[in-house]
Amino acid sequence: MRVLMLGGTGFVGGAVVTEAVRRGWSVTVFNRGLHGSAPEGVHRLRGDRTAPDGLAALAGGEWDLVVDTWDGAPRAVRDAARALAGAVPHYVYVSSGSVYAPPVGLGTAEDAPVFEAGADAGDGDYPQNKAGGERAAVEVFGDRALLVRAGLILGPGEDIGRLPWWLHRVARGGEVLAPGPRDLPVQYVDARDLAIWLLDRGSEGAGGAYNVVSRTGHTTMGELLDAAVAVTGADATLRWTDPDALLAAGVEPWNDLPIWIPLGHEYRWLQERDVERAHAAGLACRPAAETVADTWRWLREVGQVPARAGRPARAPVGLAPEREAALLAALRA
Ligand SMILES: NC(=O)c1ccc[n+]([C@@H]2O[C@H](COP(=O)([O-])OP(=O)(O)OC[C@H]3O[C@@H](n4cnc5c(N)ncnc54)[C@H](OP(=O)(O)O)[C@@H]3O)[C@@H](O)[C@H]2O)c1
């Protein structure tokens, strides 16, 4: 297989490149060359897909599959898809569960309504960008476009820093504010499992939309944080705390305490999507303990969470130590 990766030097694109190289496929990455490096043997094409004539380096190339992680202006997906229409039979667009238009219910499946967004739109909000990116891929490639609606993505290389925040926090030791309930079901996908799945299905020519995350309850907050304690070897005590007490104290799920979205919260659907379509199509999710251990190993190699490749910076996730200490003291009182 000859795969063209648009992007490919960040978290998810990097996982796709690594997996394709592992398979012995011919891999080409296309990006501006501003971030990261590609494994040996990977062909590098340079260009800025937002610039006039920025796709020139793609001219004359031929591939069996293209994978695109773009999350900016939909028109950049449209332009790339048009430029590649005669050069590649199949377009895999790494999309997001954020495309679903509110109100989003628990157990949302792929036929739920998505945001209205034009394929030729400029840069906007993330959900609209992703919905417009989907539309652009489908407009050009029809049912030869595979829309990979990922949810929470974890694993080595994670550049948002959700699991890394927990690992660093637990490694610091002491009393750790652990958001309950301990058996809260969590839904996510390891970037490596996502990469395997999209290359498997993409190379077979699958099309259409898929929610690509684990089943809810593949792991729990308890299992994740226990695994973090185990792999870091930290002298840490998890203080499991009632979710209502945390909410009453102003703790923001997802941002203040990453990954955590309690039952009944308006964004709980982010952890409870219907994923039967992807699982019927072969999605296999490795154990959470492996994701945690490998992420910790990677973090110790790199030291800190890398900047996101070619993406706008995001506010850091996770409570500041002083706030966590104050919350623990207040909750104890
Ligand atoms: N993290 C999550 O939990 C989550 C959840 C759901 C979905 N997702 C999706 O997962 C994907 C994550 O992608 P990623 O950042 O890891 O992808 P990536 O492909 O690994 O990295 C982004 C790439 O884009 C390139 N790039 C940036 N601006 C460019 C430009 N103007 N022209 C050409 N190339 C450009 C960057 O290189 P240069 O800067 O050198 O050009 C870099 O190689 C996104 O599609 C996101 O929507 C993430």
Side-chain angles (χ1 to χ4, degrees):
M1 291 292 292
R2 297 161 302 171
V3 61
L4 169 65
M5 178 73 230
L6 301 179
T9 51
F11 174 33
V12 174
V16 172
V17 168
T18 302
E19 174 59 22
V21 168
R22 193 193 64 74
R23 294 173 180 209
W25 290 6
S26 163
V27 182
T28 303
V29 294
F30 170 87
N31 54 51
R32 295 169 300 177
L34 302 181
H35 296 96
S37 57
E40 208 179 319
V42 167
H43 313 287
R44 299 200 76 156
L45 297 177
R46 295 276 162 86
D48 179 345
R49 52 193 300 184
T50 63
D53 213 22
L55 299 170
L58 298 176
E62 263 189 33
W63 296 274
D64 301 303
L65 185 68
V66 57
V67 181
D68 189 359
T69 54
W70 189 250
D71 68 2
R75 70 165 79 105
V77 177
R78 178 205 60 189
D79 292 347
R82 283 183 183 165
L84 291 165
V88 54
H90 206 75
Y91 205 100
V92 177
Y93 180 61
V94 178
S95 186
S96 164
S98 303
V99 295
Y100 294 113
V104 189
L106 299 182
T108 294
E110 291 82 353
D111 56 359
V114 301
F115 278 101
E116 292 289 327
D120 53 357
D123 200 3
D125 291 339
Y126 178 75
Q128 281 84 354
N129 282 349
K130 297 305 284 187
E134 286 194 354
R135 184 160 297 186
V138 171
E139 205 173 275
V140 181
F141 279 81
D143 60 8
R144 293 176 296 119
L146 177 62
L147 310 176
V148 183
R149 292 181 183 158
L152 171 64
I153 308 175
L154 302 177
E158 193 214 316
D159 56 5
I160 293 185
R162 295 179 175 121
L163 182 54
W165 183 84
W166 277 114
L167 284 160
H168 279 140
R169 171 62 197 92
V170 166
R172 214 170 71 235
E175 263 199 314
V176 177
L177 183 61
R182 196 186 170 92
D183 61 357
L184 182 74
V186 171
Q187 183 176 52
Y188 73 97
V189 66
D190 186 302
R192 296 165 295 179
D193 296 330
L194 178 72
I196 290 168
W197 186 85
L198 71 81
L199 290 176
D200 281 349
R201 298 294 79 79
S203 58
E204 287 168 7
Y210 289 81
N211 290 336
V212 185
V213 266
S214 70
R215 292 195 170 93
T216 301
H218 176 70
T219 192
T220 59
M221 279 312 292
E223 192 189 7
L224 273 181
L225 298 195
D226 285 345
V229 174
V231 299
T232 56
D235 185 8
T237 307
L238 302 174
R239 285 285 168 239
W240 289 100
T241 307
D242 177 57
D244 292 334
L246 290 173
L247 296 173
V251 173
E252 220 181 282
W254 194 250
N255 294 326
D256 285 342
L257 292 172
I259 301 175
W260 175 66
I261 305 181
L263 300 179
H265 190 272
E266 64 171 312
Y267 290 124
R268 179 63 199 168
W269 62 269
L270 285 168
Q271 296 277 349
E272 296 199 32
R273 277 166 236 193
D274 181 334
V275 290
E276 291 317 309
R277 188 159 193 238
H279 284 261
L283 178 64
C285 295
R286 72 193 63 209
E290 192 177 322
T291 299
V292 174
D294 292 349
T295 304
W296 179 238
R297 195 173 306 123
W298 162 75
L299 261 183
R300 281 196 300 172
E301 276 165 29
V302 297
Q304 59 183 3
V305 175
R308 302 174 72 221
R311 310 281 199 216
R314 292 171 58 111
V317 295
L319 289 174
E322 316 75 56
R323 178 140 180 251
E324 187 200 11
L327 282 163
L328 279 166
L331 291 164
R332 218 179 287 118

